[in-house]
Amino acid sequence: MRFSFLLLTASLCALVLLLAPVSEGCGPGRGYGKRRLPKKLIPLAYKHFSPNVAEKTLGASGRPEGKITRNSERFKELTPNYNTDIIFKDEEDTGADRMMTQRCKDKLNSLAISVMNMWPGVKLRVTEGWDEDGHHSEDSLHYEGRAVDITTSDRDRNKYALLARLAVEAGFDWVYYESKAHIHCSVKSEHSVAAKTGGCFSGDGQVTLKGGATKLLRDLRPGDHVLASSTVDGSGPLLYSPVLSFLDHQPNATKVFYIIGTNTGLILTLTAAHLVFVTDCTDGSGGTKRVETDEEPGLGSVWWGRPRRQAGLRAVFASEVRPGQCVVTSQGEVGEQPTLSIVTFVEEGKKTGLYAPLTQHGSIVVNGVLASCYAAVDNHHLAHWVLAPLRFFYSLMGLSEPQTDGLHWYASLLQRLGQMLLDAGHFHPWGMEEGHR
């Protein structure tokens, strides 16, 4: 047993050495004994926004929750910002531009520091904050103190593209290079469930066990064998893969889930930061199509195995799935070559219970739809690779500890390493917040 733990520790150290730049050491802190190179910032292009989804969707700042007025009960949600490193235009002379939610205030103050560091002598300038006079569109987040329009104090428009990137790095949930005259930034609501959601399945999802029986995810246990893909990319025949552990297990947590429905009546429910296999459908026939490999090409079918560019086989966050795309589906039989079903709707709903089982093969069929076992990071292959030491340990030794609620310690460690070693763009906009999942 001691040897196995030493093996796992050695694997983790090797992982750090492989992922970290050569100039960095495997010691206390990143790059111990070395000076860190500054991060290269890529300016945000004009009329582009980050993340690349609509502002009022769950993957960005979320839905509007209604206007806040000085006389409303929710006015107490706003707090004034008197940061002297920020210039507030306040053309109404009411102090309204200084009023904002605490989350917006925190991000704005962080951005103010970045601006001064980037351009000494220049300050952040806010031209629009909370709107109490009705100058914006009906559902604008300015009415809730969740949005600001910003420039630099010198009003140098050549700086605005980089200012937008600094706003993204400061943690705003949505940044838009909206106008040549300003950058628009917004945040999630303070009590938004969206800010606390990560990557898991709901407890009422069903998996197929070895022998053909089904079981709810809430009842699944390590040692069960469930239907999964035989290949990492999701293109191979199905097999039964052992459940090794749970990367996240929270029976009592209530979260917002994405509900993905298909033309064949299959429905997959999972949180926004969880990865699911999709491809762009090649026709609009409305039926299912067989997923074929290199050895079995078919006229009009998607060529999988080593996918062609137009097929676009990939694992994406659930929040990025759109109607008209295809997901990989199964009839529940071992050896079966999976088929494609067209996504007909994507909805949101609250459910209780978060479950993220880890299988030996890194995938799992839930409610007849193939999904990844991984979340938060945008690369299924990378996630599968970095979890290899844990899968090897459990497959060799079996589950040596009782299943506990919460995020698995190994997944938590990898997320902290990932935040140090990978660009923030590799992570779901809020898959790493509040408990990391």
Side-chain angles (χ1 to χ4, degrees):
M1 180 66 70
R2 183 179 178 184
F3 170 78
S4 299
F5 278 109
L6 288 174
L7 179 63
L8 185 57
T9 303
S11 300
L12 278 171
C13 192
L15 171 67
V16 174
L17 289 171
L18 286 168
L19 287 181
V22 175
S23 62
E24 295 176 354
C26 186
R30 185 181 178 192
Y32 178 66
K34 303 286 184 179
R35 181 178 179 181
R36 284 183 63 180
L37 295 175
K39 181 177 181 179
K40 183 178 180 180
L41 297 174
I42 301 175
L44 193 66
Y46 179 57
K47 289 297 181 181
H48 282 215
F49 39 83
S50 180
N52 192 29
V53 295
E55 179 181 27
K56 300 176 186 70
T57 59
L58 199 59
S61 294
R63 295 174 175 173
E65 298 184 349
K67 293 182 180 181
I68 296 178
T69 67
R70 291 184 185 270
N71 297 322
S72 68
E73 177 67 21
R74 292 180 58 208
F75 184 67
K76 63 184 180 183
E77 297 177 14
L78 305 184
T79 180
N81 191 332
Y82 295 116
N83 189 336
T84 56
D85 294 326
I86 303 174
I87 296 173
F88 291 88
K89 185 177 180 182
D90 196 20
E91 58 188 351
E92 298 88 358
D93 198 28
T94 61
D97 287 339
R98 294 182 180 272
M99 303 301 294
M100 58 194 68
T101 64
Q102 185 63 47
R103 183 177 181 83
C104 188
K105 181 178 179 179
D106 291 342
K107 307 307 179 186
L108 198 66
N109 289 344
S110 177
L111 177 58
I113 296 172
S114 298
V115 168
M116 292 189 297
N117 289 336
M118 180 62 65
W119 302 294
V122 176
K123 292 186 177 182
L124 180 63
R125 175 172 174 260
V126 175
T127 60
E128 286 286 339
W130 174 54
D131 181 4
E132 58 179 335
D133 298 322
H135 295 319
H136 293 82
S137 60
E138 183 64 25
D139 60 351
S140 171
L141 299 184
H142 281 285
Y143 295 125
E144 302 177 36
R146 293 167 53 192
V148 289
D149 294 339
I150 60 173
T151 71
T152 54
S153 59
D154 60 1
R155 307 185 198 183
D156 181 357
R157 296 188 177 188
N158 293 323
K159 293 186 173 77
Y160 291 177
L162 188 52
L163 175 63
R165 178 56 60 189
L166 291 176
V168 173
E169 296 296 320
F172 278 97
D173 297 306
W174 199 72
V175 178
Y176 180 28
Y177 194 168
E178 182 176 28
S179 159
K180 292 289 187 180
H182 70 263
I183 306 299
H184 176 82
C185 310
S186 61
V187 298
K188 297 176 176 65
S189 67
E190 291 299 290
H191 47 81
S192 171
V193 178
K196 305 174 184 177
T197 305
C200 294
F201 301 101
S202 62
D204 57 2
Q206 282 194 341
V207 294
T208 301
L209 301 178
K210 192 172 185 178
T214 60
K215 179 182 279 192
L216 296 178
L217 277 168
R218 67 169 64 99
D219 300 323
L220 194 64
R221 297 291 182 267
D224 288 336
H225 286 66
V226 297
L227 209 59
S229 175
S230 59
T231 59
V232 177
D233 65 3
S235 67
L238 300 179
L239 50 62
Y240 288 119
S241 184
V243 176
L244 304 176
S245 184
F246 281 81
L247 297 178
D248 206 346
H249 190 274
Q250 301 183 51
N252 300 316
T254 299
K255 301 291 183 181
V256 168
F257 287 81
Y258 270 68
I259 304 168
I260 301 171
T262 73
N263 63 312
T264 53
L266 301 175
I267 296 177
L268 177 65
T269 303
L270 68 176
T271 49
H274 204 99
L275 294 172
V276 60
F277 295 98
V278 303
T279 186
D280 298 321
C281 299
T282 57
D283 62 49
S285 62
T288 60
K289 294 180 296 180
R290 188 160 177 253
V291 175
E292 297 187 339
T293 63
D294 302 31
E295 292 74 23
E296 298 179 319
L299 183 63
S301 67
V302 179
W303 194 324
W304 292 45
R306 186 180 295 275
R308 299 179 301 185
R309 289 183 183 273
Q310 60 266 36
L313 171 61
R314 60 202 182 275
V316 304
F317 295 127
S319 60
E320 296 176 352
V321 177
R322 297 290 181 266
Q325 292 180 321
C326 281
V327 291
V328 184
T329 55
S330 161
Q331 299 299 318
E333 297 179 4
V334 171
E336 166 195 5
Q337 193 69 38
T339 56
L340 298 178
S341 294
I342 300 173
V343 176
T344 54
F345 68 86
V346 180
E347 299 176 349
E348 300 169 16
K350 287 185 181 180
K351 286 180 177 287
T352 299
L354 297 173
Y355 302 87
L358 172 66
T359 67
Q360 181 65 48
H361 290 79
S363 62
I364 186 170
V365 175
V366 178
N367 289 350
V369 180
L370 181 67
S372 169
C373 289
Y374 311 124
V377 69
D378 65 356
N379 191 315
H380 169 80
H381 291 266
L382 175 62
H384 191 65
W385 181 69
V386 298
L387 277 151
L390 185 67
R391 294 197 313 276
F392 176 75
F393 172 75
Y394 281 137
S395 62
L396 185 68
M397 304 302 298
L399 187 65
S400 58
E401 62 210 24
Q403 180 66 52
T404 57
D405 290 345
L407 187 64
H408 193 286
W409 67 267
Y410 189 94
S412 179
L413 173 62
L414 287 181
Q415 288 187 1
R416 287 194 291 271
L417 283 173
Q419 287 177 304
M420 290 190 294
L421 303 175
L422 299 176
D423 186 88
H426 287 290
F427 299 99
H428 191 275
W430 31 274
M432 303 291 286
E433 294 191 272
E434 307 225 352
H436 302 294
R437 292 184 75 81

